[in-house]
Amino acid sequence: MYKRSKSIMLVNLPFLPIILLVLFLFGCTTTPNKENSEPVDSMFDEPVHIIAPPVETQVYYMKPVVKKLLHKAISKITEKDYHSAVSLLEQAIDISPNNPYVWQQLALVRLKQQNYTQAEQMAAKSNVVGEANNELRMKNWQIIAEAKRGQQKMHVASPDNLN
Amino acid sequence: MSFFVVKNKFARFLLWQFFILLVIAMLGLIGYLYYLDIEVREKFEGSRWEVPSRVFARPLSLYEGKKLLPSQLEFELKLLRYNHSKSDGVGTYFRQSDTLYLHSRPFQFSTGFVDAAYIKISFRNGYITQLLDMKKNTELDFFTVEPYLIGGIYPRKQEDRVLVRIDEVPKSLIDTLLGVEDRHFYTHSGISPLSILRALLANIQAGARVQGGSTLTQQLVKNFFLSNEKTINRKINEALMSLLLELHYSKDEILEAYLNEIYLGQNGSRSIHGFGLASYFYFDQSLETLNQGQIALLVGLVKGASYYNPRRHPERAKQRRRVVLTIQRDLDLLPANSFKRFDDSRLGVKKDKPGGISRYPAFFDLVKQQLRQDYPPEDLASAGLRLFTTLDPLIQESTEQSIQKRLPQLERKAKLKRETLQVAAIVTDAGSGSVRALVGGRNFRGHGFNRALEASRHVGSLIKPAVYLTALDNPARYKLSTTLEDSPIKVDQGQGNYWKPENYDNQYHGRVSLISSLANSYNVSTVRLGMTLGLPEVSKTLKKLGIKRDIPLYPSMLLGALNLSPIEVMQMYQTISAQGFQTPIRGISSVTTAEGDVLSKYPISVKQTLKPESVYLITKALEEVMSSGTGRSAYNRLPYDFVVAGKSGTTNAYRDSWFAGMSGDKVIVVWLGADNNDPINLTGAGGALKIWTDVMASSAHRSLDVPVPERIVFAKVSALMHRKKREACEEDVVLPFVSGYLPAGYERVICDEEN
């Protein structure tokens, strides 16, 4: 029972690529992430080694169909056909539930539709599923900031606040 | 002279009197006609405009790289009543092992109209490898097959209906109907004195009522008022109303109303109106697929649906069909040489009456429930809306198949009487919360108690993730490696009552790590943890997971003495699968008008209620449940490298058997139990998990690969969760932690102590 559990923990899917990536990074780079490369806790008899810091993924793998759906959706957004765009993006989500770029586009549509709460939430979702992708994240923060401004504007404009 | 004058005067008086009376009578008649007119028009408009909403399943999308078997596509096409044929007509397909040629039908999707197409679909090893547009000879990225019509909502009469437009009705049916019931329909003005006379003569000759002289219009009027009284008043009213109807409406409008209104059978308290519905009711087929014999039988029923009821009186029905077939032959609607073949053929009526028009009544309940929140019943009844739902017939059918196979096996295993075990199952998409399958009981086609939505049962250990999530949400204090005490505990319930929870194996396991306590579903350590955290805190977590009902704050709640329905459990696990973003379970994706304009959308919506790090940790623990804990038998069936996360639930005295969990693309909840709450002698792992695993194996395509939140780091720690094993301490285990909250030194010491 133990052997099996360990093998899953150590070798199985979620960790293997990360471990390989880290080995690769440790092998090639001289300036790995500072926080994570040092032994962390001096209270330990033996230091606990951090195995895999979240590493910025250079290329985000996307299924070809998801890529195509995303491109189609983006062109629908420029045509202001938001219903079709959302429908395409939702199909993409059913194929790849954790694709951060799809969630980001959904957030963008909601922003354009002035559905600020959902815009903010979906950009946050994109951030969470996007792991450490700085470019993606930057754009999400822009969406969130704009959504917050929109929410404030709506708040100011609401009749309760006009007196 | 004077006499004449007087007489004249009197006559004039009488004449005047008569004239006045005549005017009054005329006024009265006009008033009465006016009243009748309003009444009959109201009925007609009512029937005409009360177009039920049509409810569609999800459209099947095809693309290169999609996991789909040719046989699955074939199944979907058969549902859509495509014919397997080499001819190149719209609505046909042809399959040659791994290649399928499809002549699709045009369809008004919620996103727009898509014309008929001719597509070649190539498969290899269970995946689509190519889509080719045969007309343009170009490769296609994507193709969407029209969705399966799963039924109609007709709220006024509380029943499903299949409404047909006149251009959807086979011409041979209309010709047969007119040939049998009203040959001069297109020329008379509502009533046909000639027909009445002819009928009268025929009846006198036969000495009994053998022929009716009513036109279709009169029959329709009669049907509106559903009265069988044969008074002369009623007859006159019918005739007047028929004339009025003909004044207002065209022949085709009247015929269409007739085709949809006429009474053709009875199913318990529910009457079967219209040919569209009758076709399903008797043959389980759509109207346009009927052959001449079936058409003859249906048209024959117009004369008396209960007298000629083909299920109860097959001989009478057969005779009546012969009469209609003869008329068909005489009117050249049927080649003379086919007559005998149809006359000799069996009636072909399906033995089981379908419960409703929908093949999936349990899912239908969900749709109705969600619609009620947005549309008043009148709108749904009258507007002829098109509802696009999320149901995936392929997943629904494979879920049903698994249940059908497993229930008798489990009943034997648990030594239960046959057919005592009840079931509910829900499958959703992980990202969107779209319901792909929903089973409300073991009778899939029947209406009735929908256990997936309405059964309220103790959830047992399914609740534990909420307890552990509450702990992990405080990373300074709790980590996956934190040790918990699994030793006897007495919980003070007030008034001198003490509760002593025990483990399922009746043993205590001493000091166990948090992750293995959850993986092995230990009760005692969970209760101790929950009491330390506080019941209100656990209850708050349940709310964040999406539970809306009030949660009683009893300590036994920590072990699942809390009633939830399967759909509520689904919401809870959906939130975990969505990284702590509450994603409402949805059965509808959009609603359009009959013309295709989008009225409202039911888009994905998300709301972050839990920290992604905490949810990540709990998901890792739930993966451990599957790899080494109570769910591990799932891997007897699932591929070893296919990661899933889940939790079993068993309640007191084995009354409920639950399993809930997720892959990378699906969330599945299965419940088993007895309606009278008798013990079923099955644990969550021994019962519900079997079905859960089947459904996972057939519907899920993505291994679970939870995105790693920014603040998660991985660390090697001693294998303290397996501290009983000596070798555990010799090797290290990798666990995720929230960065900045790495385990403190004492955790290593435990392992060293043992050594």
Side-chain angles (χ1 to χ4, degrees):
Chain A
M1 187 167 108
Y2 162 68
K3 285 276 182 211
R4 182 181 189 170
S5 129
K6 196 202 71 145
S7 75
I8 284 185
M9 278 308 208
L10 264 178
V11 184
N12 253 353
L13 276 180
F15 303 102
L16 190 61
I18 301 167
I19 293 168
L20 290 177
L21 197 63
V22 170
L23 285 176
F24 173 76
L25 282 179
F26 273 49
C28 302
T29 56
T30 47
T31 54
N33 190 318
K34 205 177 167 203
E35 185 204 350
N36 297 328
S37 63
E38 288 168 1
V40 176
D41 207 325
S42 54
M43 280 165 56
F44 284 68
D45 306 339
E46 295 165 55
V48 172
H49 293 289
I50 295 171
I51 297 218
V55 178
E56 184 169 339
T57 29
Q58 292 300 316
V59 182
Y60 185 88
Y61 173 74
M62 252 192 244
K63 280 193 173 187
V65 62
V66 174
K67 213 181 265 179
K68 280 167 191 162
L69 283 168
L70 196 57
H71 283 159
K72 269 193 199 168
I74 290 170
S75 72
K76 290 286 177 194
I77 294 173
T78 37
E79 290 165 26
K80 294 204 164 73
D81 180 359
Y82 298 133
H83 175 63
S84 300
V86 168
S87 169
L88 291 163
L89 293 168
E90 289 188 353
Q91 283 178 51
I93 279 180
D94 285 337
I95 300 167
S96 282
N98 293 328
N99 184 312
Y101 295 93
V102 177
W103 284 105
Q104 185 171 69
Q105 289 304 319
L106 266 179
L108 215 61
V109 175
R110 296 301 177 223
L111 189 66
K112 290 187 189 284
Q113 293 176 322
Q114 300 189 326
N115 184 345
Y116 296 119
T117 320
Q118 276 306 304
E120 185 185 343
Q121 289 291 332
M122 281 169 172
K125 173 103 183 179
S126 173
N127 266 343
V128 168
V129 295
E131 304 190 353
N133 182 330
N134 288 335
E135 201 182 320
L136 178 99
R137 203 163 274 189
M138 199 92 93
K139 197 165 173 197
N140 282 331
W141 284 114
Q142 279 171 7
I143 295 174
I144 291 171
E146 209 167 314
K148 282 201 190 295
R149 272 198 297 278
Q151 272 166 325
Q152 263 166 11
K153 239 187 256 170
M154 294 234 303
H155 182 70
V156 170
S158 88
D160 301 339
N161 301 307
L162 286 182
N163 305 335
Chain B
M1 212 37 197
S2 64
F3 175 76
F4 277 107
V5 172
V6 171
K7 206 179 170 186
N8 252 346
K9 261 187 184 167
F10 185 63
R12 209 179 295 157
F13 172 72
L14 278 183
L15 217 66
W16 266 109
Q17 289 286 311
F18 179 70
F19 184 68
I20 289 166
L21 276 176
L22 197 72
V23 169
I24 291 171
M26 287 286 279
L27 282 176
L29 185 68
I30 289 170
Y32 185 60
L33 278 178
Y34 185 69
Y35 157 77
L36 283 184
D37 190 48
I38 289 176
E39 200 173 352
V40 76
R41 278 171 70 177
E42 212 168 74
K43 284 279 178 186
F44 190 86
E45 293 291 337
S47 83
R48 205 156 69 111
W49 297 116
E50 274 199 3
V51 183
S53 299
R54 291 171 159 230
V55 183
F56 295 96
R58 63 89 191 89
L60 177 66
S61 43
L62 309 174
Y63 52 86
E64 192 193 316
K66 183 185 175 103
K67 195 173 181 187
L68 187 75
L69 294 166
S71 58
Q72 289 177 308
L73 176 56
E74 218 175 345
F75 178 85
E76 176 101 11
L77 293 173
K78 278 185 186 146
L79 268 184
L80 290 164
R81 312 226 177 258
Y82 276 70
N83 289 321
H84 189 252
S85 128
K86 254 187 165 162
S87 77
D88 51 0
V90 166
T92 63
Y93 74 95
F94 187 73
R95 180 183 159 195
Q96 268 176 321
S97 66
D98 264 2
T99 309
L100 195 145
Y101 297 88
L102 172 67
H103 285 278
S104 72
R105 301 191 185 107
F107 190 79
Q108 180 78 46
F109 288 90
S110 81
T111 46
F113 179 78
V114 174
D115 211 345
Y118 180 28
I119 311 286
K120 179 186 171 191
I121 305 137
S122 311
F123 296 86
R124 197 182 302 144
N125 300 330
Y127 288 89
I128 295 179
T129 51
Q130 198 191 35
L131 292 178
L132 211 61
D133 185 325
M134 296 292 280
K135 280 180 191 161
K136 296 176 195 151
N137 200 24
T138 50
E139 262 195 60
L140 279 175
D141 292 340
F142 210 80
F143 184 76
T144 309
V145 186
E146 91 233 44
Y148 172 55
L149 178 68
I150 58 177
I153 297 184
Y154 200 87
R156 189 178 60 116
K157 288 182 178 153
Q158 288 299 307
E159 63 185 36
D160 312 331
R161 260 207 184 190
V162 173
L163 221 85
V164 290
R165 282 202 317 272
I166 195 159
D167 51 1
E168 295 170 340
V169 180
K171 190 168 175 303
S172 60
L173 191 150
I174 292 176
D175 290 343
T176 308
L177 177 69
L178 297 184
V180 174
E181 294 294 330
D182 188 356
R183 294 192 190 181
H184 305 288
F185 175 70
Y186 277 99
T187 49
H188 63 62
S189 54
I191 53 173
S192 171
L194 220 68
S195 306
I196 295 171
L197 215 66
R198 201 181 307 122
L200 209 67
L201 278 176
N203 292 350
I204 290 168
Q205 258 176 358
R209 193 179 168 279
V210 292
Q211 202 176 330
S214 296
T215 62
L216 284 193
T217 321
Q218 280 169 295
Q219 290 181 29
L220 176 62
V221 170
K222 190 171 157 192
N223 205 79
F224 280 160
F225 299 98
L226 288 176
S227 148
N228 273 326
E229 61 173 313
K230 283 178 181 147
T231 60
I232 202 83
N233 272 348
R234 172 56 69 187
K235 284 273 164 209
I236 290 173
N237 274 345
E238 262 174 38
L240 289 175
M241 284 178 169
S242 303
L243 290 169
L244 290 166
L245 261 194
E246 297 267 351
L247 272 178
H248 289 297
Y249 303 104
S250 76
K251 288 285 183 187
D252 279 351
E253 285 172 321
I254 291 169
L255 183 56
E256 190 172 82
Y258 182 93
L259 289 165
N260 287 311
E261 271 293 317
I262 197 72
Y263 173 75
L264 289 169
Q266 192 74 29
N267 185 13
S269 63
R270 169 173 166 251
S271 35
I272 307 297
H273 286 271
F275 281 92
L277 183 64
S279 175
Y280 281 104
F281 181 64
Y282 292 111
F283 305 116
D284 194 22
Q285 269 175 257
S286 67
L287 203 51
E288 67 267 20
T289 60
L290 299 186
N291 65 33
Q292 286 297 89
Q294 291 168 314
I295 287 175
L297 182 67
L298 283 192
V299 171
L301 286 176
V302 170
K303 197 177 172 198
S306 61
Y307 185 81
Y308 296 110
N309 182 339
R311 286 197 178 96
R312 204 174 298 160
H313 310 294
E315 269 315 306
R316 287 183 197 166
K318 223 164 180 175
Q319 276 171 19
R320 178 67 189 156
R321 186 178 70 174
R322 178 173 303 144
V323 172
V324 179
L325 283 169
T326 312
I327 294 174
Q328 282 182 335
R329 185 189 59 195
D330 295 348
L331 293 174
D332 287 334
L333 297 170
L334 182 71
N337 54 7
S338 307
F339 175 83
K340 197 167 176 322
R341 182 163 60 89
F342 282 118
D343 190 40
D344 289 344
S345 71
R346 295 187 311 144
L347 289 173
V349 170
K350 285 271 177 308
K351 219 170 122 193
D352 301 320
K353 295 175 195 171
I357 272 315
S358 176
R359 196 173 157 76
Y360 312 117
F363 177 78
F364 229 79
D365 290 340
L366 175 75
V367 171
K368 283 191 236 173
Q369 199 184 65
Q370 299 198 336
L371 275 175
R372 262 202 299 272
Q373 298 161 5
D374 298 285
Y375 292 91
E378 306 87 76
D379 283 12
L380 286 173
S382 59
L385 305 177
R386 291 155 68 87
L387 307 173
F388 293 89
T389 72
T390 57
L391 183 82
D392 185 328
L394 296 176
I395 298 178
Q396 175 75 28
E397 299 271 343
S398 71
T399 306
E400 290 174 1
Q401 270 170 23
S402 157
I403 289 170
Q404 202 156 28
K405 190 183 78 190
R406 292 287 183 179
L407 287 188
Q409 290 175 2
L410 292 170
E411 278 165 350
R412 252 172 291 156
K413 178 178 149 190
K415 301 195 169 58
L416 294 169
K417 262 199 250 157
R418 286 179 58 202
E419 309 206 348
T420 45
L421 210 48
Q422 269 300 351
V423 61
I426 311 171
V427 184
T428 64
D429 262 335
S432 59
S434 305
V435 178
R436 298 307 182 191
L438 191 140
V439 172
R442 60 187 298 153
N443 177 9
F444 309 134
R445 308 284 167 255
H447 287 279
F449 185 45
N450 191 332
R451 290 157 197 86
L453 307 180
E454 296 157 44
S456 189
R457 308 284 301 214
H458 277 189
V459 292
S461 303
L462 287 189
I463 204 164
K464 285 180 184 159
V467 181
Y468 288 81
L469 197 47
T470 312
L472 294 168
D473 217 26
N474 178 3
R477 176 75 191 83
Y478 294 100
K479 304 142 185 50
L480 289 178
S481 58
T482 303
T483 35
L484 304 175
E485 203 61 52
D486 193 64
S487 55
I489 180 176
K490 247 166 65 173
V491 181
D492 187 356
Q493 293 187 299
Q495 296 166 343
N497 286 329
Y498 287 94
W499 177 48
K500 281 199 267 182
E502 279 175 24
N503 287 322
Y504 283 112
D505 59 5
N506 289 316
Q507 292 179 17
Y508 298 98
H509 307 89
R511 298 172 79 177
V512 292
S513 71
L514 189 146
I515 187 169
S516 74
S517 172
L518 180 59
N520 295 302
S521 207
Y522 294 147
N523 286 340
V524 183
S525 42
T526 305
V527 170
R528 184 172 276 117
L529 175 64
M531 292 312 289
T532 315
L533 295 166
L535 298 177
E537 290 305 309
V538 176
S539 162
K540 262 187 227 164
T541 304
L542 281 165
K543 300 271 170 191
K544 288 178 185 170
L545 285 167
I547 302 299
K548 295 208 170 76
R549 71 166 76 194
D550 288 336
I551 296 156
L553 298 180
Y554 305 125
S556 59
M557 172 266 264
L558 295 168
L559 296 182
L562 165 70
N563 283 327
L564 293 178
S565 64
I567 194 111
E568 286 173 290
V569 170
M570 172 54 90
Q571 184 65 70
M572 201 177 141
Y573 280 78
Q574 182 82 39
T575 309
I576 295 175
S577 131
Q579 299 95 20
F581 285 79
Q582 242 187 55
T583 312
I585 306 298
R586 57 180 204 156
I588 307 169
S589 53
S590 63
V591 179
T592 76
T593 63
E595 291 75 34
D597 298 324
V598 179
L599 281 181
S600 57
K601 281 159 280 181
Y602 289 76
I604 300 175
S605 74
V606 295
K607 184 177 157 203
Q608 188 167 25
T609 54
L610 287 153
K611 284 187 270 184
E613 300 84 40
S614 324
V615 178
Y616 182 83
L617 297 179
I618 200 73
T619 313
K620 286 290 147 189
L622 293 175
E623 282 177 21
E624 188 70 11
V625 171
M626 305 308 294
S627 60
S628 73
T630 52
R632 63 185 177 279
S633 71
Y635 283 105
N636 295 343
R637 171 97 202 265
L638 296 175
Y640 211 70
D641 57 356
F642 192 84
V643 182
V644 286
K647 187 72 198 82
S648 59
T650 313
T651 59
N652 278 349
Y654 303 98
R655 293 178 204 279
D656 304 85
S657 162
W658 288 92
F659 208 89
M662 62 212 74
S663 68
D665 59 346
K666 292 284 179 292
V667 187
I668 303 171
V669 173
V670 177
W671 167 85
L672 294 174
D675 282 344
N676 59 9
N677 213 14
D678 274 352
I680 55 162
N681 313 327
L682 291 167
T683 60
L689 177 61
K690 308 282 177 225
I691 293 166
W692 187 91
T693 308
D694 285 351
V695 178
M696 191 52 94
S698 64
S699 70
H701 301 328
R702 280 180 86 95
S703 174
L704 185 61
D705 183 8
V706 191
V708 186
E710 199 181 10
R711 293 183 56 216
I712 287 290
V713 292
F714 293 88
K716 271 196 214 173
V717 291
S718 296
L720 67 158
M721 66 276 280
H722 305 290
R723 57 185 288 274
K724 279 187 176 172
K725 301 210 171 198
R726 236 190 109 74
E727 69 267 31
C729 279
E730 289 158 16
E731 294 179 64
D732 287 335
V733 160
V734 177
L735 282 182
F737 293 92
V738 179
S739 75
Y741 299 104
L742 285 163
Y746 68 88
E747 294 188 6
R748 282 196 65 82
V749 180
I750 298 161
C751 208
D752 294 338
E753 266 176 8
E754 275 242 322
N755 286 328

